[in-house]
Amino acid sequence: MQISVGGQWRMETPWPEEADDALADIADQRVREVRLAAADLGPWDTSLLVFLVQIVTAARSRKVPVHADLPDGLARLLQLAFAVPPQEGAARKDATTSFLSNLGESVLKLPPKLADFLSFLGEITLAVWHLFLGRAKMRSQDFVAAMYESGVQALPIISVTSLLFGLILAFVGAVQLTQFGAQIYVAGLVGIGMLRVMGAVMVGVVMSGRVGAAYAALIGTMQVNEEVDALSTLGISPVDFLVLPRVLALTLMVPLLTLYADLMGVLGGYLVGTLMLDLNPLEYLNATTRMVPFHHVIIGLVYGTVFGVIIAVAGCYQGMRCGRSAQAVGLATTTAVVHAIVGIIVATAVITVICNVLGV
């Protein structure tokens, strides 16, 4: 079988119809050899080389000998195309794994991740113990700066979100209570809802996105810049120097912010009760003190303390385990926020069940 190429071959123009016929004819079992020639060949580019490579590849797949009588430049390019054989397994494969395979792989990755997280918690525990013994490498100015960042600077956003959430709780309760002339019970609904759990949850969610992400981004960037490695080289524990002040600051400030959020939420309910439901201001305050026992405040502080630990540990852990690229810092920041919020939800469920079992 002889294949003669000629005329003009350009990338912007389609192949001649005879080219596809020639490729199809090579599959004929009667073809015993292939001869390539060029007749009246005009301007050409790599499209001609691609066609010839396909011809030779199809012929070699059938172990049919190929004889080429082509111009020198085209012959050298064709010879160069087959100078190095393709490496086995080098081609990219679009392999798809089943759902069960992905699930099994994820389950197998859990034990090492859990062991690493428990090791990190152990390091934090040892750092706290060293702090009590006076041997921690934590600087007081870092602790104060972390308190300022997670406390004072968070007051505006906590004020707005808690006030609006108190308004929402009051409006939702008023929709049903006004039908029975029981508007005064809006005070108890808002007070118990905010002081017992919702104030702490609102603070936890806001602080997860604001402070937890900042911790992960800051420590992750230090990992990229090899500053954490430099601390280890100098004999300074990164957990003592970077993690401990942030964990202590957030554990202390989140309960205080929870108290502030409770007050702002009650204020939001107060505004709805006095301005929208025409309740007497003193009557609303008196109903709040009667319907909301003090132990709800203690429970809210327990929620806030646990949430502070979860947010700080999630942010610092993702920062300390961050990769060495800008993309890794972004991933660590996002993961820290997600893990902190999920941890808050799980902790809320666990503490709520415990409180119901204990009857408090």
Side-chain angles (χ1 to χ4, degrees), residues 47-335:
S47 61
L48 176 58
L49 183 62
V50 170
F51 169 70
L52 295 177
V53 167
Q54 293 185 8
I55 292 290
V56 174
T57 302
R60 289 184 176 181
S61 65
R62 291 192 51 232
K63 299 182 179 180
V64 175
V66 179
H67 305 281
D69 185 13
L70 300 171
D72 293 340
L74 185 57
R76 286 196 300 269
L77 288 176
L78 184 60
Q79 183 180 6
L80 184 63
F82 292 96
V84 179
Q87 184 178 358
E88 293 293 335
R92 182 177 179 180
K93 298 179 180 179
D94 297 330
T96 57
T97 56
S98 64
F99 170 75
L100 292 178
S101 299
N102 293 330
L103 180 62
E105 185 178 355
S106 300
V107 172
L108 291 176
K109 290 180 180 179
L110 282 179
K113 291 183 178 180
L114 182 60
D116 182 62
F117 180 72
L118 293 177
S119 174
F120 183 73
L121 288 181
E123 292 178 3
I124 295 177
T125 305
L126 289 177
V128 174
W129 177 248
H130 291 162
L131 179 65
F132 281 122
L133 297 178
R135 295 185 301 177
K137 299 296 180 65
M138 185 186 76
R139 299 189 305 176
S140 59
Q141 55 265 41
D142 292 337
F143 176 61
V144 174
M147 289 179 60
Y148 180 78
E149 178 187 6
S150 60
V152 178
Q153 292 185 345
L155 288 177
I157 186 64
I158 296 296
S159 302
V160 173
T161 55
S162 301
L163 180 65
L164 292 179
F165 198 80
L167 292 171
I168 294 171
L169 277 180
F171 275 120
V172 171
V175 170
Q176 293 296 323
L177 294 176
T178 52
Q179 298 180 9
F180 306 99
Q183 297 93 325
I184 191 61
Y185 288 97
V186 170
L189 173 67
V190 175
I192 294 177
M194 290 299 301
L195 270 66
R196 186 178 180 92
V197 61
M198 294 313 300
V201 170
M202 288 301 301
V203 171
V205 172
V206 172
M207 297 301 284
S208 297
R210 187 184 182 280
V211 179
Y215 286 176
L218 174 64
I219 301 178
T221 304
M222 296 179 71
Q223 284 281 13
V224 174
N225 295 334
E226 299 181 354
E227 296 176 49
V228 177
D229 296 337
L231 289 174
S232 300
T233 303
L234 294 173
I236 301 175
S237 171
V239 175
D240 287 2
F241 193 80
L242 299 176
V243 177
L244 184 59
R246 290 169 173 80
V247 172
L248 293 179
L250 208 55
T251 304
L252 177 64
M253 296 309 299
V254 170
L256 298 180
L257 289 174
T258 299
L259 287 176
Y260 179 74
D262 295 340
L263 293 176
M264 296 303 297
V266 171
L267 176 61
Y270 174 83
L271 294 177
V272 173
T274 57
L275 300 179
M276 306 294 295
L277 304 179
D278 296 327
L279 296 175
N280 184 275
L282 293 179
E283 181 184 11
Y284 186 94
L285 295 177
N286 184 47
T288 300
T289 56
R290 285 189 295 105
M291 298 179 186
V292 185
F294 183 75
H295 71 269
H296 292 303
V297 178
I298 304 301
I299 295 174
L301 291 178
V302 172
Y303 278 106
T305 304
V306 174
F307 293 168
V309 174
I310 291 174
I311 296 168
V313 170
C316 294
Y317 174 76
Q318 294 300 327
M320 293 295 290
R321 298 300 186 266
C322 177
R324 302 302 177 99
S325 65
Q327 183 180 6
V329 174
L331 180 61
T333 304
T334 304
T335 306

